[in-house]
mmCIF file of all heavy atoms in Angstrom:
data_model
loop_
_atom_site.group_PDB
_atom_site.id
_atom_site.type_symbol
_atom_site.label_atom_id
_atom_site.label_comp_id
_atom_site.label_asym_id
_atom_site.label_seq_id
_atom_site.Cartn_x
_atom_site.Cartn_y
_atom_site.Cartn_z
ATOM 1 N N ASN A 981 5.660 32.918 -45.341
ATOM 2 C CA ASN A 981 4.722 32.612 -44.267
ATOM 3 C C ASN A 981 5.377 32.877 -42.924
ATOM 4 O O ASN A 981 6.502 32.457 -42.684
ATOM 5 C CB ASN A 981 4.247 31.153 -44.364
ATOM 6 C CG ASN A 981 3.089 30.898 -43.433
ATOM 7 O OD1 ASN A 981 3.266 30.334 -42.368
ATOM 8 N ND2 ASN A 981 1.903 31.330 -43.816
ATOM 9 N N TRP A 982 4.668 33.584 -42.059
ATOM 10 C CA TRP A 982 5.125 33.910 -40.716
ATOM 11 C C TRP A 982 4.195 33.252 -39.713
ATOM 12 O O TRP A 982 3.023 33.022 -39.996
ATOM 13 C CB TRP A 982 5.090 35.419 -40.495
ATOM 14 C CG TRP A 982 6.152 36.169 -41.231
ATOM 15 C CD1 TRP A 982 6.276 36.295 -42.585
ATOM 16 C CD2 TRP A 982 7.223 36.903 -40.664
ATOM 17 N NE1 TRP A 982 7.372 37.073 -42.882
ATOM 18 C CE2 TRP A 982 7.963 37.461 -41.724
ATOM 19 C CE3 TRP A 982 7.621 37.148 -39.357
ATOM 20 C CZ2 TRP A 982 9.087 38.235 -41.523
ATOM 21 C CZ3 TRP A 982 8.745 37.939 -39.149
ATOM 22 C CH2 TRP A 982 9.468 38.465 -40.218
ATOM 23 N N GLN A 983 4.714 32.983 -38.526
ATOM 24 C CA GLN A 983 3.871 32.496 -37.442
ATOM 25 C C GLN A 983 3.978 33.486 -36.286
ATOM 26 O O GLN A 983 5.061 33.971 -35.964
ATOM 27 C CB GLN A 983 4.257 31.092 -37.024
ATOM 28 C CG GLN A 983 5.689 30.899 -36.627
ATOM 29 C CD GLN A 983 5.994 29.427 -36.377
ATOM 30 O OE1 GLN A 983 5.223 28.537 -36.707
ATOM 31 N NE2 GLN A 983 7.136 29.169 -35.774
ATOM 32 N N VAL A 984 2.822 33.771 -35.705
ATOM 33 C CA VAL A 984 2.723 34.789 -34.669
ATOM 34 C C VAL A 984 2.129 34.165 -33.412
ATOM 35 O O VAL A 984 1.026 33.618 -33.452
ATOM 36 C CB VAL A 984 1.834 35.958 -35.145
ATOM 37 C CG1 VAL A 984 1.694 37.001 -34.050
ATOM 38 C CG2 VAL A 984 2.388 36.572 -36.431
ATOM 39 N N GLU A 985 2.860 34.252 -32.310
ATOM 40 C CA GLU A 985 2.384 33.718 -31.038
ATOM 41 C C GLU A 985 1.695 34.815 -30.245
ATOM 42 O O GLU A 985 2.200 35.928 -30.120
ATOM 43 C CB GLU A 985 3.561 33.165 -30.227
ATOM 44 C CG GLU A 985 3.142 32.578 -28.902
ATOM 45 C CD GLU A 985 4.315 32.038 -28.091
ATOM 46 O OE1 GLU A 985 5.473 32.379 -28.381
ATOM 47 O OE2 GLU A 985 4.053 31.259 -27.164
ATOM 48 N N GLY A 986 0.533 34.486 -29.725
ATOM 49 C CA GLY A 986 -0.185 35.398 -28.840
ATOM 50 C C GLY A 986 -0.303 34.772 -27.468
ATOM 51 O O GLY A 986 0.266 33.714 -27.195
ATOM 52 N N GLY A 987 -1.063 35.398 -26.630
ATOM 53 C CA GLY A 987 -1.256 34.913 -25.273
ATOM 54 C C GLY A 987 -2.237 33.759 -25.203
ATOM 55 O O GLY A 987 -2.700 33.229 -26.225
ATOM 56 N N ALA A 988 -2.572 33.389 -23.991
ATOM 57 C CA ALA A 988 -3.554 32.331 -23.758
ATOM 58 C C ALA A 988 -4.951 32.841 -24.110
ATOM 59 O O ALA A 988 -5.254 34.011 -23.887
ATOM 60 C CB ALA A 988 -3.502 31.900 -22.300
ATOM 61 N N PRO A 989 -5.796 31.988 -24.670
ATOM 62 C CA PRO A 989 -7.141 32.421 -25.054
ATOM 63 C C PRO A 989 -7.921 33.102 -23.930
ATOM 64 O O PRO A 989 -8.586 34.113 -24.174
ATOM 65 C CB PRO A 989 -7.827 31.118 -25.481
ATOM 66 C CG PRO A 989 -6.707 30.259 -25.955
ATOM 67 C CD PRO A 989 -5.553 30.592 -25.046
ATOM 68 N N ASN A 990 -7.828 32.607 -22.708
ATOM 69 C CA ASN A 990 -8.543 33.226 -21.586
ATOM 70 C C ASN A 990 -8.091 34.659 -21.360
ATOM 71 O O ASN A 990 -8.911 35.555 -21.151
ATOM 72 C CB ASN A 990 -8.340 32.410 -20.312
ATOM 73 C CG ASN A 990 -9.602 31.769 -19.836
ATOM 74 O OD1 ASN A 990 -10.653 31.884 -20.457
ATOM 75 N ND2 ASN A 990 -9.511 31.078 -18.720
ATOM 76 N N ALA A 991 -6.792 34.883 -21.375
ATOM 77 C CA ALA A 991 -6.250 36.232 -21.184
ATOM 78 C C ALA A 991 -6.676 37.141 -22.341
ATOM 79 O O ALA A 991 -7.014 38.301 -22.132
ATOM 80 C CB ALA A 991 -4.735 36.185 -21.078
ATOM 81 N N LEU A 992 -6.669 36.612 -23.550
ATOM 82 C CA LEU A 992 -7.055 37.418 -24.701
ATOM 83 C C LEU A 992 -8.531 37.792 -24.643
ATOM 84 O O LEU A 992 -8.905 38.919 -25.004
ATOM 85 C CB LEU A 992 -6.730 36.680 -25.999
ATOM 86 C CG LEU A 992 -5.235 36.459 -26.244
ATOM 87 C CD1 LEU A 992 -5.014 35.697 -27.530
ATOM 88 C CD2 LEU A 992 -4.485 37.777 -26.261
ATOM 89 N N ARG A 993 -9.375 36.875 -24.207
ATOM 90 C CA ARG A 993 -10.808 37.194 -24.060
ATOM 91 C C ARG A 993 -10.997 38.356 -23.094
ATOM 92 O O ARG A 993 -11.839 39.224 -23.314
ATOM 93 C CB ARG A 993 -11.582 35.964 -23.597
ATOM 94 C CG ARG A 993 -11.820 34.973 -24.705
ATOM 95 C CD ARG A 993 -12.729 33.822 -24.248
ATOM 96 N NE ARG A 993 -12.774 32.802 -25.265
ATOM 97 C CZ ARG A 993 -12.042 31.692 -25.274
ATOM 98 N NH1 ARG A 993 -11.207 31.441 -24.282
ATOM 99 N NH2 ARG A 993 -12.147 30.823 -26.251
#
Side-chain angles (χ1 to χ4, degrees):
N981 191 259
W982 288 66
Q983 56 186 12
V984 178
E985 181 180 17
N990 247 2
L992 295 179
R993 283 186 188 98

